[in-house]
Amino acid sequence: MTRVLMKGAEAVGEAAIKAGCRHFFGYPITPQNEIPEYMSRRLPQVGGTYVQGESEVASINMLFGCAGAGVRVMTSSSSPGISLMQEGISYIAGAELPVVVINMVRGGPGLGGIQPAQSDYFQATRGGGHGDYYTMVLAPSTVQEAVELVMDAFDLADKYRNPVLVLGDGIIGQMMEPVEFPEREPALVDKPWATTGCKGREPNIVKSLLLDPYELEEHNRKLQQKYERMKREDVRVETVDLDGAEVVLCAYGTTSRVCRTAMERLREKGVKVGLVRPITLFPFPEKTIQSLDPKKVKFILTVEMSLGQMVQDVKLYTEGRIPVHFFGRTGGVVPTPQEVVREVLKRLGKEVEK
Amino acid sequence: MSVPVEVIFKRPEALRDRPTHYCPGCPHGIAHRLVAEALDDLGLRERAVGVAPVGCSVLAYNYFNCDFQEAAHGRAPALATGIKRGRPDTIVFTYQGDGDLASIGMAEIIHAANRGEKITVVFINNAIYGMTGGQMAPTTLVGQKTTTSPYGRDPEQIGWPIRMAELLSTLVAPVYVTRQALYTPQLVRKARKALHTAFRLQAEGKGFTFVELLSSCPTGWGMTPVEALEWGKEKMMAYFPLGEFKKPEAEEGGKK
């Protein structure tokens, strides 16, 4: 294994190829264009296919068709484009197809801006489109982790026959960091349900339409069992210094890096501070939050590049036992470690330096 | 004593032995059969993947005896693109109505055609939204009354019916673009031939093929099945001329 210096977006593309993905459909949008550009260059070199769709709506439906044919497939976009894809993601979840969708989140609502944000948390973790469904959501905080999570995303999509979202932001996509690509064979699985032509078997039908209400209810219950299984088997979370922590920061992706720097400064000031970093946003690491000790933890501070989205989950799973505070910047503004430090000190009633 | 029996007419293998939900007198059954016959004749059933639309033929996957996917409204050509690019050995066709293809799915059909996707699109044009209860379609004729054009389609208000075959034939990539009709046995035979040509060209890897079939909707048009066929022949064929708008040079009648 060799370490190479790579831009996040290109590392994401190469990780997909290493995971056996040979088909990419997408539509340009800032700040993630380096992913389709990389795929358009690399896929023909490895016998793959890159198609620039006429829109995000078309692209996600190309994913439906391709995944329905039993082929590993990916798209990438950014917030406004992901909104357009929600129709297709709902159909894909309904039809139980494995696809990987990268969202390099930018500021919203509407056209918003092109700077990094985390304001698509609600959309990502609550299904996003119509209907009673969830997508798995993976949130890398480094380029190395983005590589590993993109590779895992394909295996998880196949494991659950469900869309898997990788939620990054412009910082993850644009920054260059040294990465190592794990040497591992893609865990390809049989897909006997795929539409490959019915030679030697009964025809396969890939669809999300179930007109009988009892049948549709049964289908939804089956989907829910899948989401429960995700919660049992595939929650990922990193915790730092929770033992003895009086203050616990909770942050994912880019803001978790800001929090790490803030933690160093807080320790210098004698504050016992820990961190919960959800890696899977759905399934959310609810047990980690539930296991925090109200006798020791004075409060949890959730830090986000939004005006408060993940904080609702943190509140939900603390069940009122521990005060939960929020600090966030939004619209493409990244919170600084100093801001986080000041917020913690202020909440502790300590003197805040100007 | 056994009586010698010769089978002179039977269900194509590519159709299932199953009653359809279509209204009495609806030509979807004819169109399904013609597609199935083309798949049978060319030996393509076991390689075929159909894509069903949203509309009356949303349940087409219950009637065809081959692999199928069911698309969101208008997105069938995008699904077909994904299937064909993922599995180039399959024979991929969409089966779409006028609301699905010429309204909400306009971007998908034009760009699939423009990319020259090696698929076959079967476009059923009956100038109305049947499934939702007879609303105006992008192909509804001028003056035609529907539940959302109760005074008749007014081109000043809502524009003119879209001629899809002509529109797509302006693109460079499509290899075969034709409009046929299902109003008389003679026309049905021509439509059968057109579908056969389209699927054969796809199997030969030639490119994008498009077969528009003028159809009728007795329920939505408020006519008996026979009246509807006559109205179609008189009115629909007057505005939507039949013909082969694009054909490879090597084909009989193909333009140089």
Side-chain angles (χ1 to χ4, degrees), chain A residues 123-325:
Chain A
Q123 184 194 55
T125 60
R126 267 62 181 169
H130 63 281
D132 221 351
Y133 75 94
Y134 295 92
T135 59
M136 249 190 127
V137 187
L138 312 178
S141 67
T142 65
V143 175
Q144 180 65 44
E145 193 178 32
V147 163
E148 286 161 20
L149 291 183
V150 166
M151 293 178 80
D152 291 346
F154 285 95
D155 294 346
L156 290 165
D158 278 342
K159 176 178 175 181
Y160 292 106
R161 288 185 59 184
N162 203 65
V164 176
L165 259 66
V166 178
L167 208 65
D169 59 50
I171 295 177
I172 302 286
Q174 298 297 320
M175 81 184 154
M176 290 186 86
E177 285 187 325
V179 287
E180 262 178 26
F181 288 92
E183 294 293 331
R184 67 183 210 210
E185 286 298 306
L188 299 178
V189 298
D190 283 341
K191 299 179 178 177
W193 43 265
T195 60
T196 55
C198 65
K199 192 172 172 58
R201 59 162 169 77
E202 282 297 298
N204 283 338
I205 297 166
V206 170
K207 65 184 175 85
S208 61
L209 178 69
L210 294 157
L211 287 170
D212 181 291
Y214 298 100
E215 214 183 315
L216 183 55
E217 185 184 45
E218 197 49 44
H219 177 61
N220 270 281
R221 288 193 194 286
K222 189 182 128 201
L223 294 181
Q224 290 298 321
Q225 284 170 6
K226 225 162 58 167
Y227 309 138
E228 291 304 318
R229 186 176 164 211
M230 290 176 192
K231 290 178 189 178
R232 285 195 307 274
E233 297 179 17
D234 283 296
V235 172
R236 295 192 200 179
V237 60
E238 184 189 10
T239 60
V240 183
D241 293 344
L242 287 188
D243 266 357
E246 56 179 334
V247 174
V248 172
L249 303 179
C250 185
Y252 68 94
T254 293
T255 45
S256 72
R257 297 175 69 140
V258 175
C259 286
R260 280 171 198 272
T261 309
M263 286 164 73
E264 286 171 25
R265 298 185 191 170
L266 284 164
R267 280 192 215 103
E268 287 165 13
K269 293 178 188 297
V271 180
K272 289 177 187 163
V273 60
L275 172 72
V276 174
R277 179 175 75 88
I279 298 169
T280 52
L281 304 183
F282 185 90
F284 191 78
E286 49 194 80
K287 286 189 179 138
T288 305
I289 299 292
Q290 281 161 350
S291 69
L292 295 174
D293 186 350
K295 293 191 198 100
K296 292 177 184 156
V297 178
K298 290 179 179 157
F299 62 84
I300 300 169
L301 180 71
T302 303
V303 182
E304 299 176 53
M305 293 193 291
S306 77
L307 291 186
Q309 299 198 8
M310 184 176 71
V311 65
Q312 293 195 2
D313 279 338
V314 177
K315 283 184 179 168
L316 183 66
Y317 297 115
T318 46
E319 294 164 348
R321 297 175 310 117
I322 302 172
V324 177
H325 302 306

Side-chain angles (χ1 to χ4, degrees), chain B residues 29-200:
Chain B
I30 299 170
H32 281 21
R33 184 181 172 98
L34 297 184
V35 171
E37 285 179 347
L39 293 175
D40 275 16
D41 292 351
L42 294 160
L44 300 175
R45 184 187 74 87
E46 293 180 330
R47 288 168 62 196
V49 183
V51 184
V54 170
C56 287
S57 47
V58 66
L59 297 173
Y61 54 77
N62 282 335
Y63 310 137
F64 283 100
N65 187 23
C66 64
D67 278 5
F68 243 83
Q69 296 194 15
E70 206 294 303
H73 202 20
R75 316 294 177 228
L79 264 69
T81 298
I83 299 165
K84 189 74 179 192
R85 298 293 187 124
R87 301 266 177 203
D89 291 341
T90 51
I91 297 296
V92 182
F93 68 98
T94 72
Y95 186 103
Q96 303 174 258
D98 39 63
D100 191 87
L101 181 138
S103 188
I104 195 167
M106 187 58 112
E108 282 75 12
I109 186 60
I110 288 192
H111 286 277
N114 194 50
R115 286 189 302 268
E117 297 296 342
K118 294 179 176 62
I119 62 173
T120 298
V121 172
V122 181
F123 171 42
I124 309 296
N125 179 2
N126 63 4
I128 204 157
Y129 283 73
M131 177 62 98
T132 44
Q135 293 82 11
M136 191 188 70
T139 52
T140 291
L141 295 177
V142 168
Q144 189 182 344
K145 288 181 179 172
T146 69
T147 58
T148 52
S149 58
Y151 308 111
R153 179 179 186 140
D154 175 5
E156 289 298 314
Q157 275 268 342
I158 202 74
W160 294 75
I162 297 175
R163 295 185 178 108
M164 283 307 301
E166 286 87 336
L167 197 156
L168 293 177
S169 67
T170 65
L171 302 172
V172 177
V175 294
Y176 184 59
V177 178
T178 183
R179 181 184 292 118
Q180 304 294 331
L182 302 173
Y183 300 134
T184 68
Q186 194 190 14
L187 290 169
V188 168
R189 277 197 295 276
K190 284 185 176 170
R192 184 183 194 278
K193 206 176 150 200
L195 284 161
H196 192 279
T197 302
F199 278 102
R200 178 173 54 75

Side-chain angles (χ1 to χ4, degrees), chain B residues 213-229:
Chain B
L213 298 174
L214 296 182
S215 189
S216 68
C217 180
T219 305
W221 291 359
M223 299 177 195
T224 67
V226 173
E227 284 168 355
L229 293 175

Side-chain angles (χ1 to χ4, degrees), chain A residues 91-129:
Chain A
Y91 279 69
I92 287 166
E96 296 191 87
L97 298 178
V99 304
V100 174
V101 177
I102 312 288
N103 182 2
M104 292 299 185
V105 183
R106 62 187 246 186
L111 209 45
I114 58 170
Q115 301 299 325
Q118 295 181 322
S119 39
D120 294 356
Y121 180 93
F122 286 155
Q123 184 194 55
T125 60
R126 267 62 181 169

